[in-house]
Amino acid sequence: MTSDTGSRHVGGRREPLATYRIQLTPEVGFREVLDMLPAIAGLGVSHLYLSPIGRAMPGSTHGYDWVPPPQVSDDLGGIEGLRELRSAATASGLGIIIDIVPNHTGVADALQNPWFTDLLRHGSASRYATWFDVDFSTENGADGKIALPVLAADGDLSPLTVADGTLRYYDHVFPTAPGSTDSDDPLEVHDRQHYRLVPWNSGLIGYRRFFTVNELAGLRQEDPEVYAGTHRWLLDLIDEDLIDGVRVDHPDGLWDPQAYLRRLRTDIGDGRLLYVEKILAADEQLEPTLPVEGTTGYDQLRVIDAVLTAPTGVIELDEIHELRTGQKGDAAWLHSAERARKLATLRNMFPTEHRRLVRAITHSDPSADLAAVAEATAELIADLGVYRADYPSLRGRLVVTAAEIGRRIPRLAPVLDLIVQATASPGAATSRLAQTCGAVTAKSVEDSLFYRTARLVSAQEVGGDPANPTVSLREFHAHNGRRARDWPWAMTASSTHDTKRGEDVRARIALLTQVPERWSRLVGEIWSRNPPPDDLSGYFLLQNIIGVWPTDSAVDDDLRDRLKAYAQKATREGGLRTTWTEVDERFEDAVDEWIEQVTRGENAAAIGDLVGRIASSWRSESLSRKAIALLGPGVGDIYQGTQWWDDSLVDPDNRRPVDYGQPTDHPKAALIRAALRARDENRQAFRPGSDYLALTSDGPAADHVIAFARGDKGKPLVILVALRFTHSLTDHGRSTTTVSLPDGVWRDAITGATVSGSIALADLVGDGVAILTRIRPD
């Protein structure tokens, strides 16, 4: 029941309580979601949160490679299927948020994308030449043609053939310019095209991409015609009231995300939710002028994980990591390694983007030293520490960073001054620097560095800060107070389709900070029996093995296969012993064999013993994390299937089909229902302008308690008491530590018991969490 002050709509919006993310595929479309609705609605969430619903490349399993013309995908059920889902969702009390992808479009098969086909066929004369971010300059390394990096490293064009008016290179099929195929010589036909096929490792590409994915070509949303052509379908959905909100994928890839989001907000109106997939650095705040509800919540994920990570254990893990890997892995090492990775990534993966950036900066000063500008921009990108620094609140960061580099490398000071001046206002220099910096950061940190170290891999997460993987209770509450004030309806992520590990896997791994001695002994035992083929890889993988180890059954071949697939991706992403382009099969086979050895016999028994010892603490702290995500400031996002224990690793592992036939009385599902029921009955305590109050506890176990109240106009209405560091929480600590509740009588939303005043943990908290709602004044 919703109280009189708890209307489900605020300011014309369907009020968010929590979202439920569903990954749509050709096998899980709108009709299949209809069958899930009772279970999802039964959790108490307010919105379905759907992965991209647009028409995508044939065989796409994610939808981020959408292709024009923009429309609802027939593979998912088409517009009629969406209408049917909308009707059923509304009847179940659920809104719908969809994921949109303005930054890029799929071009893996050029002929499946009519805009890209036209671009390749007509070059700069194409109607769509200005829709894509193409480099037609004669300085582009391909004589002004569009470089397509598909050839083998030797650049051999002999496999080219011409058939049915197309140019073919093995499985690649390309359109041809009108009248260009009247020759029997494929090389001559190739020379007549507006594009040039170049070796995959040439460092040349003729268009901006999504990071390093050549199959996703960037679009110029700063052009009003492009915006209109790519958003008309979205506005049609809004006009028909088929959606309640939008999640914008990777806005940092755009030329001007601020202008884009202002226009999008104007078009969708204030009555719909607007979220951005924005990765914030630990010391970065979301740009306050953005007209959005907030980010999709990796920033809050980091803080919740950090407050449940034991700082004393991290110190011991420093020593164990260095002993086993020969690498420190501490904050100083990570900062140095991150900087080195960025410089290498820019040089090896983004040379084309870097050249375009240098040209943009020197455009107004032809006399500038190109080599010096290239070096200075590389240093700036390596040191900025954020995805992009062209947001108004970050301008000072760019200026200060440039000055610091100038002091460290005096010969670059004049060039850095030029860069600062060139980026002082919107334009090519500003946008190229920002776009390149974001791409380099993502590929250097999340997709490389986080696979090259292993002090505590639970902190090596999207938006994570492994250099500083803990926060104090004081810092936690201060952060939450700011979030409640500034971004009360921002999302809170726990698991997503992009997280490196699911929430329960991270919770298990983080518990190693509470048992560092036992962890050290386990590593020593396994290394003595079966040393890994590479110490760092083995140390990294063993933590993940701990994270997914079953608590109620033996490891089976399915899990072993998943671990081997994960190991292959992790070691190739890390790039230390094997890579995606230079595969070391002997090393990868040795890793697979090591996984076999580790998951059987004495090793398996030893791992099972450790996991069993921390199992109760893991369950308790997994519930603490979920409760904080749902009742803390923001809007909790529940990733598909995570109402049950989830052992997912990085994609594609985290996109496996979900078994919705699992028990509905599972502890996590029960907790979610209780938390969202409390939130639903006290909506005013979670709205913009509501209160966040840190609660105090007293006694020997006070540091184990995370407690806060949510309220309205100074009156607390909902209380959460959660536990951390539970492996060392004794019965004595529980019975002699008290939590001081605000005045009034409170009902436990899980047990139904009533409490008031100052109450001992032992009498308040059962399996890790107590959710209290006010029932009457004292």
Side-chain angles (χ1 to χ4, degrees):
M1 178 181 295
T2 303
S3 65
D4 292 340
T5 56
S7 169
R8 294 180 184 275
H9 292 78
V10 175
R13 304 183 188 193
R14 187 187 298 266
E15 185 172 3
L17 298 178
T19 58
Y20 191 94
R21 171 76 178 203
I22 297 176
Q23 293 299 115
L24 299 172
T25 68
E27 293 71 38
V28 180
F30 303 137
R31 184 165 298 280
E32 286 71 27
V33 176
L34 288 174
D35 297 332
M36 305 173 192
L37 284 182
I40 294 172
L43 292 172
V45 303
S46 57
H47 290 77
L48 296 176
Y49 170 27
L50 304 179
S51 63
I53 65 173
R55 176 175 171 258
M57 275 285 164
S60 175
T61 59
H62 50 78
Y64 289 96
D65 53 351
W66 71 272
V67 293
Q71 62 187 38
V72 179
S73 170
D74 288 336
D75 289 341
L76 301 179
I79 187 65
E80 288 302 325
L82 179 61
R83 288 170 178 148
E84 185 178 3
L85 177 59
R86 173 61 158 179
S87 178
T90 300
S92 298
L94 298 172
I96 294 178
I97 298 170
I98 65 168
D99 198 339
I100 65 169
V101 190
N103 179 68
H104 53 262
T105 179
V107 298
D109 180 351
L111 297 184
Q112 293 292 329
N113 188 315
W115 298 349
F116 199 67
T117 293
D118 196 81
L119 171 68
L120 297 185
R121 181 170 287 136
H122 299 288
S124 59
S126 167
R127 173 191 170 187
Y128 301 101
T130 58
W131 289 46
F132 294 91
D133 193 354
V134 180
D135 185 2
F136 285 113
S137 74
T138 56
E139 301 166 294
N140 70 359
D143 297 326
K145 294 187 176 185
I146 305 169
L148 302 178
V150 300
L151 298 179
D154 60 10
D156 181 18
L157 288 169
S158 62
L160 280 178
T161 60
V162 178
D164 301 323
T166 63
L167 192 63
R168 301 179 179 232
Y169 178 78
Y170 296 112
D171 293 335
H172 296 280
V173 182
F174 303 99
T176 54
S180 66
T181 59
D182 58 353
S183 170
D184 295 330
D185 183 357
L187 297 183
E188 184 178 347
V189 172
H190 171 258
D191 289 343
R192 294 175 177 176
Q193 304 312 313
H194 297 284
Y195 53 85
R196 174 177 292 177
L197 306 186
V198 299
W200 66 270
N201 61 349
S202 63
L204 299 176
I205 187 163
Y207 51 90
R208 180 174 60 82
R209 307 160 287 175
F210 170 68
F211 297 157
T212 57
V213 183
N214 297 342
E215 294 80 11
L216 298 174
L219 292 166
R220 298 183 62 252
Q221 294 294 347
E222 65 273 19
D223 184 327
E225 185 182 10
V226 178
Y227 178 94
T230 53
H231 288 70
R232 190 170 297 112
W233 76 291
L234 176 66
L235 302 187
D236 288 343
L237 299 183
I238 290 171
D239 287 344
E240 198 175 334
D241 195 29
L242 292 178
I243 61 171
D244 299 286
V246 170
R247 178 259 200 194
V248 179
D249 182 69
H250 190 47
D252 274 353
L254 300 174
W255 185 266
D256 185 350
Q258 299 168 80
Y260 169 82
L261 290 169
R262 287 193 294 269
R263 176 163 184 182
L264 183 62
R265 169 57 81 191
T266 298
D267 285 346
I268 70 172
D270 292 333
R272 286 177 170 79
L273 300 166
L274 179 56
Y275 293 101
V276 287
E277 185 211 21
K278 166 71 176 162
I279 312 302
L280 298 172
D283 61 347
E284 178 187 5
Q285 299 296 316
L286 182 62
E287 170 57 44
T289 62
L290 293 181
V292 300
E293 268 57 58
T295 71
T296 52
Y298 290 111
D299 43 306
Q300 190 70 354
L301 180 157
R302 176 186 62 81
V303 172
I304 294 173
D305 280 11
V307 79
L308 283 140
T309 300
T312 55
V314 172
I315 296 172
E316 295 188 58
L317 291 183
D318 268 343
E319 300 172 359
I320 302 168
H321 182 264
E322 185 173 6
L323 173 66
R324 291 297 170 188
T325 69
Q327 177 194 96
K328 283 188 174 295
D330 59 5
W333 184 91
L334 283 161
H335 287 310
S336 175
E338 178 178 330
R339 187 175 182 283
R341 287 308 306 151
K342 287 179 177 177
L343 291 172
T345 298
L346 179 63
R347 180 175 61 252
N348 298 328
M349 296 185 178
F350 296 99
T352 292
E353 291 81 356
H354 197 193
R355 286 190 294 269
R356 295 184 79 180
L357 166 59
V358 170
R359 293 206 309 268
I361 290 171
T362 59
H363 176 73
S364 60
D365 185 1
S367 66
D369 184 337
L370 298 183
V373 173
E375 183 181 0
T377 50
E379 292 288 337
L380 195 56
I381 287 169
D383 283 1
L384 271 171
V386 294
Y387 264 55
R388 59 187 297 161
D390 60 334
Y391 293 103
S393 60
L394 292 177
R395 173 63 183 175
R397 186 181 190 126
L398 186 148
V399 173
V400 168
T401 302
E404 290 173 348
I405 297 169
R407 285 190 291 271
R408 190 177 76 241
I409 313 175
R411 61 183 172 77
L412 293 180
V415 178
L416 287 161
D417 288 342
L418 170 64
I419 295 170
V420 169
Q421 293 170 13
T423 58
S425 58
T430 300
S431 294
R432 293 284 179 214
L433 176 59
Q435 289 174 313
T436 306
C437 186
V440 169
T441 299
K443 294 305 296 181
S444 302
V445 181
E446 297 165 19
D447 293 343
S448 178
L449 178 60
F450 283 3
Y451 290 99
R452 288 177 165 230
T453 189
R455 176 175 63 168
L456 180 65
V457 302
S458 58
Q460 291 162 209
E461 187 51 80
V462 179
D465 184 17
N468 301 285
T470 69
V471 300
S472 68
L473 284 175
R474 181 186 297 274
E475 292 167 328
F476 172 78
H477 289 306
H479 167 87
N480 277 353
R482 291 190 298 271
R483 196 174 204 245
R485 180 194 66 209
D486 299 335
W487 305 104
W489 279 352
M491 275 191 188
T492 298
S494 298
S495 301
T496 77
H497 63 291
D498 281 334
T499 44
K500 306 300 183 185
R501 296 155 200 87
E503 59 203 63
D504 299 323
V505 177
R506 295 197 313 277
R508 176 90 61 77
I509 295 170
L511 269 161
L512 297 178
T513 62
Q514 299 180 44
V515 290
E517 297 88 355
R518 290 188 181 279
W519 165 245
S520 182
R521 287 200 297 271
L522 174 66
V523 175
E525 291 173 16
I526 292 176
W527 260 237
S528 66
R529 283 190 291 262
N530 300 101
D534 172 72
D535 285 329
L536 177 58
S537 299
Y539 195 76
F540 176 96
L541 292 171
L542 186 58
Q543 290 180 59
N544 290 283
I545 290 171
I546 291 288
V548 303
W549 198 267
T551 58
D552 55 1
S553 63
V555 172
D556 58 20
D557 287 340
D558 178 66
L559 179 54
R560 289 190 184 91
D561 289 343
R562 288 174 51 212
L563 286 169
K564 291 174 185 177
Y566 173 75
Q568 181 189 84
K569 178 168 183 174
T571 53
R572 290 183 181 181
E573 292 280 15
L576 294 172
R577 295 288 301 273
T578 186
T579 72
W580 292 107
T581 56
E582 296 181 16
V583 175
D584 186 333
E585 293 184 0
R586 289 184 61 185
F587 173 74
E588 292 187 0
D589 289 344
V591 171
D592 286 351
E593 178 58 29
W594 184 74
I595 289 173
E596 287 283 343
Q597 295 167 346
V598 167
T599 57
R600 298 182 189 275
E602 291 181 279
N603 293 327
I607 293 172
D609 178 68
L610 175 59
V611 170
R613 288 176 182 272
I614 62 176
S616 62
S617 294
W618 164 66
R619 294 188 186 97
S620 174
E621 297 194 22
S622 285
L623 296 178
S624 290
R625 290 165 184 249
K626 182 59 74 177
I628 295 169
L630 295 174
L631 294 175
V635 177
D637 174 40
I638 301 168
Y639 185 65
Q640 59 181 27
T642 60
Q643 63 264 49
W644 301 286
W645 304 130
D646 178 59
D647 66 351
S648 292
L649 294 166
V650 75
D651 72 280
D653 194 66
N654 59 15
R655 303 181 190 186
R656 290 170 292 149
V658 175
D659 175 12
Y660 284 92
Q662 298 178 69
T664 57
D665 60 352
H666 188 278
K668 277 184 78 176
L671 173 73
I672 292 168
R673 288 193 297 270
L676 294 183
R677 184 169 59 250
R679 183 163 180 154
D680 184 31
E681 293 172 351
N682 297 276
R683 290 176 177 241
Q684 65 272 36
F686 299 89
R687 288 175 178 152
S690 62
D691 302 328
Y692 177 92
L693 174 67
L695 301 182
T696 60
S697 54
D698 297 292
D703 196 46
H704 293 261
V705 182
I706 304 170
F708 58 80
R710 307 301 309 277
D712 180 49
K713 299 176 182 177
K715 180 179 180 181
L717 297 172
V718 178
I719 293 172
L720 173 65
V721 180
L723 299 179
R724 65 176 189 160
F725 312 159
T726 52
H727 191 74
S728 60
L729 179 57
T730 64
D731 290 342
H732 175 74
R734 288 176 182 267
S735 62
T736 57
T737 300
T738 60
V739 178
S740 299
L741 304 179
D743 292 343
V745 179
W746 301 85
R747 176 176 288 115
D748 190 310
I750 298 174
T751 67
T754 57
V755 294
S756 61
S758 181
I759 184 167
L761 281 181
D763 298 324
L764 179 62
V765 180
D767 194 8
V769 170
I771 300 169
L772 310 177
T773 57
R774 179 184 291 277
I775 56 176
R776 66 175 183 269
D778 191 27

